[in-house]
Amino acid sequence: MSRPKHILLYVMAAFYVFAGAMHFIRPGVYAPMMPPYLPWPMALILVSGAAEIILGLAILSERLRPYAAWGIILLLIAVFPANIHIALNNVPLFGNPEGAGIWNWVRLPLQGVLALWAWWYA
């Protein structure tokens, strides 16, 4: 593995472990992201946080890396409805008084970039 790819692997792992930990440290921050049609929003926040932590750590294992990469891709697909909900409803996030407007829409294709980044390690 090239040095830049190796460094980006650790960046990815840290990103997912940190993001997952935040689901447990400040779960209420994620509540507005949840589409109202999904049941048990707090449980889903905690499950997705646990998945991020587990996958972020697993991607560091050479043996588990392909499975973790595909798991990250599936997780990104699973949370995509929340991102659509945020964009359609201009949901205010992280304590902001109003939504991010157009930036909510810019965020949607970034999910694809994250999926491609994970696929690079699959």
Side-chain angles (χ1 to χ4, degrees):
M1 180 181 314
S2 71
R3 184 158 177 80
K5 188 173 183 179
H6 192 76
I7 291 168
L8 287 172
L9 174 68
Y10 281 90
V11 170
M12 175 190 285
F15 172 79
Y16 284 104
V17 170
F18 175 77
M22 291 308 296
H23 284 70
F24 291 92
I25 295 168
R26 299 198 54 212
V29 170
Y30 295 89
M33 297 180 191
M34 299 300 291
Y37 57 83
L38 290 177
W40 313 296
M42 196 54 62
L44 292 173
I45 290 167
L46 297 177
V47 167
S48 63
E52 287 179 337
I53 293 168
I54 291 166
L55 294 168
L57 293 173
I59 199 102
L60 296 175
S61 164
E62 192 171 337
R63 185 174 59 81
L64 297 176
R65 189 168 299 140
Y67 305 106
W70 284 109
I72 289 170
I73 292 167
L74 291 173
L75 179 64
L76 290 168
I77 292 168
V79 301
F80 198 70
N83 290 311
I84 292 172
H85 167 70
I86 292 164
L88 286 174
N89 299 291
N90 196 29
V91 175
L93 301 176
F94 306 110
N96 290 315
E98 59 185 52
I102 191 68
W103 296 109
N104 292 325
W105 293 95
V106 170
R107 179 181 169 164
L108 293 177
L110 289 178
Q111 294 292 110
V113 172
L114 292 175
L116 286 172
W117 186 9
W119 182 69
W120 196 26
Y121 296 99

